[in-house]
Each structure stands twice: as structure tokens, then as C-alpha cells.
Amino acid sequence: MKDYEVIIGLEVHAELSTKTKIYCNCSTSFGADPNTHCCPICTGMPGTLPVLNEKVVEYAIKAGLATNCEISRFSKQDRKNYFYPDLPKAYQISQYDLPLCIGGHVDINVDGNKKTIGITRIHIEEDAGKLIHDAYTGDTLVDMNRCAVPLIEIVSEPDIRNADEAVAYMQTLKSILEYLEVCDCKMQEGSLRCDVNLSVRPVGQKEFGTRTETKNLNSFRAIHNLIEFETKRQIEVLENGGVIHQETIRWDDAKGVGYAMRSKEDAQDYRYFPEPDLAPIVLSDEYINDIKNSLPEMPHIKKERYVSEFNLPEYDAEILTASKHTADYFEKATAACNNPKAVANWIMGDFTKMLNEKEIEINESKVTEENLASLICLIDKGTISSKIAKQIFEEMFETGEKAEDIVNKKGLVQISDEGAIKEIVKKVVEANPQSVADYKAGKDRAIGFLVGQIMKETKGKANPQIVNKLLLEIINN
Amino acid sequence: MSISKEEVKHIAKLSKLNLTEQELDKYTNDLSDIVNFANELSNIDVDGIKPTAHILDIKNVFRKDEVQPSYDREQILKNAPSKDAGCISVPKVVE
């Protein structure tokens, strides 16, 4: 078999977190009853006039500046024509030849290797409605609440070469958009999703192969799996002497299979033309500079600061800054307990594991920053052992109770009183003469057993350093 | 003919229109006339003239991002020929 190179470009759609839709004052909030956030403008009634939301322009420019794009001083909107029941006007207002942002790039990191992915353009457009299949009647129901929710589409250069790079690129964009607070990036709600354009070519061939497009992938897993699937499929077709057709693929993530939807004969012809109802967007240097100056600290800068200000390893800093929620949480908790490394360890360890299991973000957790900080203070002061702390944390995670309250309620205060511990150590040593003999015979593992017995006697509350010290003193006497 | 019958078929398909052979011939003629008429513009010398993005001399017409009440759902769905569960109901399109 020949060696193949995979060429991937992503079109990422991000719903902007404006309060209102792109051309009318209807709310954009998610989850309302169907067709209750609608008006004649967003449902495409004749004779209505769309007026552009100023925040949409501002947010799109923020995204453009944060991804190193050139911001167009002159830009316009166009109609993209197609018939589908989720699009009441039968055209989508988008941008064709003069998008707001052009020619940027982002740096991604895959297993420690840096790579730059080019960004062709970012343009503004409106989202379509939602179609719901009614299993009972067999009809399709149209909910227009999402019609005209503002989107930016971020189009990458075909610089991506495999599934890991695609996921890293998507994660990087997600992180940037979260930091900018221009998109809530809830992928499961569809507010951040992407289309994957993919082709393969034998290594050394100059021309790109024929590409397929897979639309609306809304999880990192789906992006990864689709790319692995489609790469394998295309190579198999070519190896068997077949040809790749330019077509749209629908990805069924549950089944792990892609299906061809439209073939080339039906290729869409969108007949773009300038939107006569909307005025051109003309931006001054001053306006763009004001936005530039308002940008928050971006993840890569924050990461460097964490290394220098908190003395964190680069690895920790990278993980903590990948999501704005995590970074905000880390900074708040650190300010409250002044132990950045401990906060980092908690966040990167059990906490993340538990969040992943529950499929929630850190800011949705019941454990507040202050509560994690006070748990860490309890360990630092020696009030509880770190082993007990893990148990307490699990309970905090489930109930949202304060660490101190759980410690008091359950009597989990660490025993650091040498006299009390000494009694227990003596008792355990007397009860286990064989282990003591084993230890004296050079079997170091026997000491672990004895420590375990002591901890069992004290329900894990004995201060482990004191236990170790006293145990060795008593045995060696 | 500045427009071919095939092109008319394609446009009809995109517009979800079914045309008879007779209608196809008629529209091929009519649309050709329209395109020919518009093509007159190509004879004008536009050297040094900026492309027109909008016919009016306006720019930056924006509104504030402030929520106002939407319409009642009954109003929004009033003209729908078929509705169900607060939605417009259409023939099956979801696969």
C-alpha cells in the first residue's frame, strides 16, 4: 500500500453570546419553548427590515484579533440562497467576498509539538432554525427560536493532517472563544460545532485529492472518530482503484459510521448576491484599536504568568489555562489559600476525574473555590490528613458542603497527639509479633502492614508522619 | 440564447419548480431576454469606478443589543398551513 497524506480543513461555527439575535431584538437564550423567541424579522416575513446588532461586529472582531487576523476596514453582507424548512427566508444572510476578518493563524500543541494552523477568514452570519422529527406523525416540526442567532464561521486553511491535530485546533479555538467571552462553547447544545473537509493524496503528489465535507460535528470525540473513519474509507476506495466523489457526509457518532448525503450532481449552487437590506460595515482604526485594547489576557500569556508568578511546572500551567473556567477557578482558590501547587494538584487530579464522570464544567461544580481553598488550608495546618481530605472532597463534590462542616460532623480531625498515637502503636505492635519479627529480619514490607493496622485502628485519622516516627522508635527499641 | 435550457432546468430545480417542456422553452426565451438586457451594462466603461456594495450611500447601520419582547407564538404560527406542538409542521425532511 502507498503512503497517504491526509489534508483537513475545518469550518467552525460559533454562536455568539449576544443577548439578542443578529438582525432583531428577539432573545437568543437557549431552551425556551418552541417559537417563542420569534418575530416577523427572524421568521422572514415579507416587508421586514433587518438591522445589524452592533455586538455581533464587536465579537467577531475580537475573535479575529485573537486569532491574528487582518480586520477588514470595509465589509458587507450577502445572501446565500437555498431552500430548506429550517430557513424561513430561503436565504441565509452571510458574508461572501468581503468577510470581516482575513488571514490569521493559531498555534496548536499536539503531544508537545507546536504547529501553526492558518485561518483563511472569519465571517458573520445567521444560524438556521431547528428541525425536530415527530416520530408519531412522521412529520418534521420547525422551531424557529434559533433562526438568526448570530454565528461566526472560522474557516481554517487545509493545514491539518490528522485527527489529533484537528481536535487540538478545535480545543484551542474553544479556549480562545471562552477567554474572549464571545461564545459559551457548549458543544452539546450546538453553540460550537464544525464541518470537516477531508481529502487524501499519495505522499509526494502535489494536487489535493477530491474532498468530502462532513457537517455539524458537535463533540471532540465525533471530530476525532469521523476523521479516522473517513481517512480509512478514502484510502480504501483509492487502493481498490476507485474514485472519491465530492459529497456531503452525515456522521452517525453512535454507530461510528458516515453516510453520503448529497452527491456532486446535486451540488449546491448558492447564488450569492449582496444583501440590499443591510448597509456596508466600515470600520475605523480607532474602533479596532479600542477593541484590541479591551482584549483579556489570552491563554498562552496566562500560561507564562502561571509559570513565573506561581512557580508552576509548564505542564500544570498549560492544563490550568486551557479553559477559562478552570483558570478563573484556580486563581480564586489560590488567592484564598495561598498554595498554588496544592490547588493545581487538586484540580488536575481527582476533581477533574469527577467532573468528567459527571460531564460538567468546573464552574458548574458544587465545590466552590473558597471551599476547595479551605480544604487545602485544613491539610496545610495539619488538622486533617491528605488521605482523609480525599474522602471529604468526595462528599463536598456530592453535597456542596463546606470542608470544615464535614470534618466536624464526622469527627475527622487528624490525631497528632503523640501520647494517644503511641498507645495505639504499642497495641498494634504487641498484637502482631510476627510482623515485627519479619521487619527485624529485613522484610521492609512488614512495616507497611503495621502502619495499615494503626491507620485502621484510628479510622485513618492518625497523622502518618507521627505514626511512622513512633512505630520505628518502638520496634527498634 | 444567452441562457441554455439546461441552465433554466437547473434554476427551476433550485427553486423547487416543476416546469413543463413548453414552460421551459418559454422561460429560456424570457430569461435570455432579461439577461441580454442586463448585459447591456457590460458595455459601460467602469474603469476607475469602485465596485458598488450598496446602492445607497450609507454605512454602519447598527442597533443596540437589547432584548425586546418577541411575538406571541399564536401570531408567529398564524399563517402556517399545518402546525403541531407549538411548531410549524412540514413533510418529513429529517433523516
Side-chain angles (χ1 to χ4, degrees):
Chain A
M1 198 178 92
K2 285 181 231 153
D3 279 337
Y4 286 87
E5 184 181 27
V6 190
I7 312 291
I8 301 166
L10 295 194
E11 291 167 23
V12 175
H13 288 92
E15 278 182 358
L16 299 177
S17 16
T18 53
K19 295 190 195 79
T20 64
K21 293 187 177 182
I22 182 166
Y23 303 118
C24 64
N25 294 86
C26 288
S27 165
T28 54
S29 68
F30 182 81
D33 284 343
N35 296 304
T36 55
H37 289 170
C38 301
C39 75
I41 296 172
C42 55
T43 55
M45 295 295 167
T48 51
L49 186 68
V51 184
L52 182 57
N53 181 342
E54 61 182 7
K55 283 279 171 200
V56 170
V57 178
E58 183 191 321
Y59 286 7
I61 292 171
K62 281 186 173 173
L65 290 170
T67 52
N68 310 293
C69 287
E70 196 58 48
I71 307 303
S72 306
R73 300 307 193 264
F74 185 95
S75 165
K76 72 174 170 71
Q77 294 167 88
D78 301 273
R79 290 187 183 180
K80 178 181 181 179
N81 299 279
Y82 66 97
F83 267 114
Y84 210 62
D86 63 5
L87 192 69
K89 295 195 296 294
Y91 58 83
Q92 176 194 34
I93 304 177
S94 179
Q95 295 194 287
Y96 183 54
D97 56 338
L98 297 172
L100 263 180
C101 316
I102 304 167
H105 62 86
V106 294
D107 293 330
I108 63 165
N109 192 330
V110 182
D111 298 330
N113 299 314
K114 283 210 172 114
K115 178 166 176 174
T116 299
I117 307 295
I119 287 175
T120 315
R121 56 186 278 165
I122 302 177
H123 65 255
I124 55 172
E125 61 183 27
E126 55 179 335
D127 208 345
K130 197 169 126 196
L131 299 179
I132 309 149
H133 181 55
D134 185 336
Y136 182 66
T137 62
D139 289 340
T140 294
L141 301 176
V142 188
D143 173 6
M144 297 182 289
N145 282 348
R146 203 179 60 189
C147 284
V149 165
L151 293 175
I152 48 173
E153 178 174 330
I154 305 169
V155 183
S156 86
E157 290 289 305
D159 290 342
I160 298 165
R161 291 291 170 271
N162 57 51
D164 290 340
E165 287 182 14
V167 169
Y169 169 73
M170 193 70 177
Q171 281 169 335
T172 306
L173 282 187
K174 179 173 185 274
S175 159
I176 290 171
L177 296 172
E178 279 176 351
Y179 271 78
L180 294 171
E181 297 182 319
V182 299
C183 172
D184 68 17
C185 296
K186 289 184 181 162
M187 296 181 80
Q188 70 282 8
E189 289 179 6
S191 58
L192 182 70
R193 54 190 196 257
C194 82
D195 304 343
V196 174
N197 291 300
L198 187 149
S199 65
V200 300
R201 63 179 172 194
V203 168
Q205 181 182 308
K206 279 229 168 98
E207 312 79 50
F208 288 148
T210 306
R211 66 183 164 86
T212 60
E213 179 175 22
T214 310
K215 289 192 178 285
N216 282 331
L217 297 163
N218 67 348
S219 74
F220 294 124
R221 194 182 75 133
I223 295 166
H224 193 275
N225 292 350
L226 169 274
I227 289 174
E228 303 257 283
F229 169 90
E230 184 57 11
T231 301
K232 191 160 163 258
R233 187 191 72 84
Q234 290 194 12
I235 292 174
E236 270 172 19
V237 168
L238 294 179
E239 281 291 307
N240 292 323
V243 283
I244 305 295
H245 299 286
Q246 187 179 339
E247 56 196 0
T248 302
I249 307 230
R250 187 172 66 86
W251 176 246
D252 183 331
D253 199 42
K255 295 201 181 107
V257 186
Y259 306 92
M261 285 170 75
R262 298 184 205 123
S263 64
K264 193 182 178 179
E265 298 81 72
D266 283 334
Q268 287 288 335
D269 173 356
Y270 292 123
R271 294 152 292 149
Y272 281 97
F273 64 88
E275 168 57 82
D277 286 345
L278 291 162
I281 304 162
V282 182
L283 303 172
S284 66
D285 291 348
E286 192 193 359
Y287 175 78
I288 294 166
N289 281 332
D290 282 351
I291 296 179
K292 201 179 268 175
N293 294 333
S294 78
L295 292 182
E297 182 183 43
M298 297 308 286
H300 62 286
I301 308 282
K302 201 183 267 290
K303 182 185 142 190
E304 284 164 23
R305 180 165 66 82
Y306 281 13
V307 172
S308 58
E309 187 179 328
F310 299 120
N311 266 321
L312 288 178
E314 199 157 309
Y315 177 79
D316 294 20
E318 171 102 30
I319 290 181
L320 293 171
T321 54
S323 138
K324 181 170 193 296
H325 295 312
T326 311
D328 287 349
Y329 194 102
F330 166 78
E331 290 188 32
K332 260 190 158 178
T334 297
C337 73
N338 205 18
N339 188 344
K341 184 59 189 154
V343 176
N345 287 345
W346 275 101
I347 293 178
M348 291 163 52
D350 291 4
F351 199 0
T352 296
K353 217 171 85 191
M354 291 155 92
L355 292 169
N356 289 343
E357 274 167 17
K358 277 222 161 155
E359 293 183 353
I360 55 172
E361 299 264 352
I362 197 162
N363 54 316
E364 297 166 303
S365 154
K366 287 181 181 166
V367 183
T368 62
E369 296 88 340
E370 292 76 18
N371 286 359
L372 177 63
S374 55
L375 178 71
I376 291 168
C377 288
L378 290 174
I379 306 167
D380 289 349
K381 282 188 290 187
T383 312
I384 55 172
S385 68
S386 39
K387 199 176 163 207
I388 291 283
K390 285 195 174 208
Q391 281 177 38
I392 297 173
F393 185 81
E394 275 173 32
E395 190 157 345
M396 290 164 67
F397 188 83
E398 289 304 323
T399 64
E401 265 186 276
K402 286 184 182 171
E404 296 90 334
D405 293 348
I406 298 171
V407 169
N408 291 335
K409 189 177 73 183
K410 300 208 157 172
L412 295 172
V413 176
Q414 178 166 264
I415 306 169
S416 297
D417 174 43
E418 293 208 7
I421 295 176
K422 201 171 206 166
E423 287 308 308
I424 297 160
V425 172
K426 274 186 187 157
K427 201 174 112 190
V428 169
V429 165
E430 277 162 23
N432 295 285
Q434 185 59 50
S435 295
V436 175
D438 286 350
Y439 170 72
K440 288 189 170 160
K443 289 185 188 165
D444 286 343
R445 272 169 55 203
I447 204 91
F449 173 77
L450 291 169
V451 170
Q453 292 302 305
I454 296 161
M455 292 315 261
K456 203 170 149 193
E457 283 286 320
T458 59
K459 300 200 174 67
K461 289 188 288 186
N463 182 322
Q465 280 95 37
I466 299 177
V467 169
N468 275 323
K469 192 187 82 175
L470 293 177
L471 180 62
L472 291 176
E473 273 176 22
I474 290 169
I475 295 182
N476 292 329
N477 263 339
Chain B
M1 290 290 157
S2 55
I3 257 192
S4 71
K5 211 165 157 178
E6 284 312 306
E7 283 175 295
V8 178
K9 274 187 188 169
H10 176 63
I11 295 162
K13 191 177 175 191
L14 292 172
S15 312
K16 301 273 191 275
L17 295 173
N18 288 315
L19 300 182
T20 62
E21 272 304 306
Q22 248 182 332
E23 285 170 324
L24 268 179
D25 288 335
K26 179 179 160 33
Y27 288 126
T28 307
N29 266 317
D30 290 358
L31 287 173
S32 287
D33 282 349
I34 294 169
V35 171
N36 284 337
F37 176 67
N39 275 344
E40 297 272 318
L41 292 172
S42 308
N43 299 323
I44 301 168
D45 180 11
V46 290
D47 270 359
I49 297 176
K50 266 205 307 189
T52 306
H54 199 279
I55 53 161
L56 302 176
D57 187 20
I58 52 170
K59 59 179 183 184
N60 298 344
V61 180
F62 297 134
R63 38 165 270 273
K64 297 259 175 243
D65 184 29
E66 287 161 2
V67 177
Q68 280 168 21
S70 295
Y71 273 46
D72 282 343
R73 183 155 73 189
E74 289 72 58
Q75 284 283 100
I76 290 296
L77 300 180
K78 206 170 165 186
N79 296 323
S82 172
K83 51 203 145 189
D84 187 16
C87 292
I88 297 171
S89 175
V90 299
K92 180 177 174 180
V93 292
V94 181
E95 281 171 62

